[in-house]
Amino acid sequence: MSGPHTAWTERTVVRDGVRLVARDHGGAGRPVLFLHGLAGYGGEWDATVAGMCGRYRVVTLDQRGHGASERRPPGGDMSRSAYVADVIEVITALGLDDVALVGQSLGGNTAMLVAAARPDLVRALVMVEAGARGMVTREVDRIGAWLDSWPVPFGSLDAAAEFFGGGPAGAGWAAGLERRAGGWWPRFDAGLMVRSLAGLVRPSFWSEWRRVACPALVVLGESGIIPLDEQREMTSARPGTAMVTVPGAGHDVHLDAPEALRAVLTGFLERHL
């Protein structure tokens, strides 16, 4: 199979009855596993990973409840622990030991928790627009209201891209939709997306952040969502953490500026893989 930027082979891993689907872009180098954010899918990394397979084995995962993976996991389990266990299973099943984990937003939190729990598996960590603070209920409610506001089905991908704000990020969000009866629909259940955020409603993840033993990079968008005081606290809580801001990018750095993000990633990975 192929996307607009790179060829890939579909890999399926099943954990506790949950089907997890990954895009294996190949490559003979050390493994790099990419984790998307809430309501995303693995294909949104295509433009970022283009050209990386000459140096690394690149895999992008559709996490539970998202994309081509299990739409409605048994019992509706969208807990942080389930996401973490899924990633550990994928790493093991696909032979990605000593992996570099790259995660954006919710995927960045998952990547951090995996690195903290299994330092034997993770060689390097990259968190894109993800921090170590938790969320409060009103933030979850706001995101839930936004998901409910989607005028589905969209009549066209162009209409969807416009709804999502246009530009590369809008097109990237639209590309994650699927065509079904009546138009273009999200490949997730909005209620389960809100449930995914429930595990983030806590004061912080500072203890997990401090347990990360591998080299770590935090990538921020110039107009992203991680406050300056949280950025400072992340570097002070874990000295040696690298932090880079991508000009002109928002929260979806990988969609707004994939080439710039790729350059940042490869520079970091060359030093630590």
Side-chain angles (χ1 to χ4, degrees), residues 38 78 140-141 143-145 147-148 189-199:
L38 184 81
M78 302 295 284
V140 175
D141 292 343
I143 294 171
L147 292 172
D148 287 340
D189 180 285
L192 291 182
M193 294 300 97
V194 173
R195 189 174 295 182
S196 292
L197 296 175

Side-chain angles (χ1 to χ4, degrees), residues 179-255:
R179 186 156 200 171
R180 291 192 276 117
W184 295 86
W185 298 80
R187 294 196 293 169
F188 56 78
D189 180 285
L192 291 182
M193 294 300 97
V194 173
R195 189 174 295 182
S196 292
L197 296 175
L200 299 178
V201 179
R202 50 181 278 189
S204 76
F205 292 86
W206 291 119
S207 60
E208 291 87 349
W209 173 240
R210 292 187 181 95
R211 287 205 302 272
V212 173
C214 63
L217 167 66
V218 178
V219 181
L220 307 166
E222 183 179 17
S223 57
I225 66 170
I226 309 300
L228 182 58
D229 60 340
E230 184 175 0
Q231 298 173 30
R232 290 170 174 164
E233 193 167 356
M234 289 185 75
T235 54
S236 64
R238 194 179 174 281
T241 299
M243 192 167 287
V244 175
T245 298
V246 177
H251 184 56
D252 294 316
V253 180
H254 59 309
L255 300 177

Side-chain angles (χ1 to χ4, degrees), residues 157-166 170-171 174:
L157 291 181
D158 286 342
E162 183 178 354
F163 172 81
F164 294 126

Side-chain angles (χ1 to χ4, degrees), residues 3-22:
H5 301 282
T6 181
W8 50 273
T9 300
E10 184 175 287
R11 307 288 185 197
T12 300
V13 175
V14 178
R15 189 188 74 80
D16 287 349
V18 176
R19 181 174 180 266
L20 303 166
V21 177

Side-chain angles (χ1 to χ4, degrees), residues 49-85:
V49 305
M52 292 183 65
C53 298
R55 301 178 183 178
Y56 311 105
R57 181 184 174 191
V58 174
V59 178
T60 65
L61 176 65
D62 285 5
Q63 295 173 86
R64 64 171 49 217
H66 295 77
S69 290
E70 198 80 31
R71 183 70 56 88
R72 296 176 179 85
D77 187 1
M78 302 295 284
S79 63
R80 294 283 72 215
S81 59
Y83 276 94
V84 168

